[in-house]
Amino acid sequence: MRYFLDTEFNGFAGELISLALVPEHGDEEYYAVLHLPEDVHGWVRRNVVPYLHSVPEGLHRGAVSRGEAASELARYLAADRDPVIVADWPEDISHFCMLLVTGPGEIAPIGSMRFEFVASPGFSTAMNSKVPHNALHDARALRDFVLQWVD
């Protein structure tokens, strides 16, 4: 199954702050907020941080460590034998992959997966999101865009 990915991070090439996967079918979404870095970029402080917990009650929880998020992500995808992670921004894929790296030569217990990069000129997940710059809402907007216009 395809999972639509979005992340929020601390400025250009900055640390991962939050990550969401929204499945193509069903409503079991994955959303994690990581502990904030000490020095949060000004734009991120104003436009991302206030909306980190603007998610449904079942997905609203405190911040987790990178290791906890990696383990949760592996559990979330464990039942799918052929997950395809879809993103419209290369850095989202990079952050997703780096989250799976849990130590030197170690990765989260996750099986094989594929990645699909969807070029979306003129489309902005944030502009089409119910809560702009929230990874979960932006991933939902990406799913809706792909299912309506790309497929």
Side-chain angles (χ1 to χ4, degrees), residues 6 88-89 118-129 137-146 148-150:
D6 192 76
D88 67 342
W89 189 249
V118 176
S120 57
F123 174 77
S124 163
T125 53
M127 301 253 333
N128 289 278
S129 178
H137 292 280
D138 290 358
R140 288 174 176 173
L142 176 61
R143 177 198 56 200
D144 295 347
F145 169 76
V146 168
Q148 182 175 5
W149 299 104
V150 178

Side-chain angles (χ1 to χ4, degrees), residues 46-118:
R46 288 186 306 277
N47 295 284
V48 174
V49 174
Y51 308 105
L52 287 173
H53 297 294
S54 298
V55 297
E57 191 66 33
L59 293 174
H60 184 300
R61 59 199 170 116
V64 298
S65 70
R66 289 182 66 83
E68 290 169 320
S71 294
E72 290 173 357
L73 192 55
R75 280 192 300 277
Y76 175 78
L77 292 171
D80 193 332
R81 296 178 54 82
D82 188 28
V84 178
I85 310 302
V86 180
D88 67 342
W89 189 249
E91 203 165 359
D92 291 336
I93 295 170
S94 174
H95 278 293
F96 178 93
C97 291
M98 288 308 298
L99 180 62
L100 297 177
V101 177
T102 58
E106 298 176 10
I107 65 168
I110 196 158
S112 296
M113 69 184 70
R114 294 179 288 142
F115 294 90
E116 182 178 330
F117 174 74
V118 176

